[in-house]
């Protein structure tokens, strides 16, 4: 059996949905579902706005940011991520800051 064949004909129907939590950065909802085999279940769905991962490269070096992450209770190195128009506030001293501003200026209002 080919990998895609085992799922052929299976569907999931959403019976109901409810918002569990919302803030400025995300929305969490819980969907009650009905599987094609007749069993009910739930899905937790996290909705976040569209964003972009930025790969800042300066003279062949990739820049990372370090920040504390509450969920793992430690600092982590990460690629910068931008969602919405706050990216316009990136400091001019940051590599490629001007190109980021040009990119951000094309985001929908």
């Amino acid at each position: 059996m080919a990998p895609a064949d085992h799922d052929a004909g299976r569907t999931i129907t959403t019976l109901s949905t409810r918002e569990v939590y919302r803030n400025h950065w995300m929305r969490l909802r819980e969907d009650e579902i009905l599987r094609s085999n007749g069993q009910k279940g739930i899905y937790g769905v996290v909705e976040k706005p569209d964003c972009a991962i930025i790969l800042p490269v300066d003279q062949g070096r990739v820049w990372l940011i370090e920040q504390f992450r509450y969920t793992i209770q430690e600092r982590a190195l990460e690629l910068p991520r931008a969602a919405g128009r706050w990216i316009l506030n990136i400091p001019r001293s940051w590599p490629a800051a001007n190109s980021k501003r040009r990119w951000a200026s094309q985001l929908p209002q």
Side-chain angles (χ1 to χ4, degrees):
M1 177 183 316
D5 291 344
H6 69 84
D7 286 336
R10 292 188 184 180
T11 59
I12 297 176
T13 303
T14 302
L15 301 174
S16 66
T17 187
R18 72 181 184 93
E19 185 174 283
V20 177
Y21 177 78
R22 176 189 296 254
N23 66 24
H24 293 293
W25 302 277
M26 63 172 272
R27 176 181 180 241
L28 175 63
R29 72 172 207 262
E30 183 178 275
D31 291 351
E32 181 184 7
I33 55 114
L34 179 64
R35 295 182 179 89
S36 59
N37 64 4
Q39 290 187 334
K40 287 186 177 182
I42 59 168
Y43 271 110
V45 181
V46 175
E47 297 175 349
K48 297 186 72 132
D50 291 339
C51 70
I53 300 294
I54 301 165
L55 184 60
V57 179
D58 184 33
Q59 298 179 10
R61 292 184 173 176
V62 175
W63 286 55
L64 300 174
I65 59 171
E66 181 181 26
Q67 59 186 353
F68 179 79
R69 288 295 182 185
Y70 174 80
T71 53
I72 60 173
Q73 290 293 299
E74 59 186 49
R75 298 185 70 75
L77 291 174
E78 305 172 348
L79 289 169
R81 182 176 62 123
R85 299 194 61 81
W86 69 265
I87 192 171
L88 295 171
N89 296 322
I90 292 174
R92 292 193 186 283
S93 61
W94 215 43
N98 289 329
S99 64
K100 289 179 190 68
R101 283 188 190 82
R102 283 192 297 275
W103 171 82
S105 70
Q106 298 182 27
L107 290 174
Q109 293 288 345

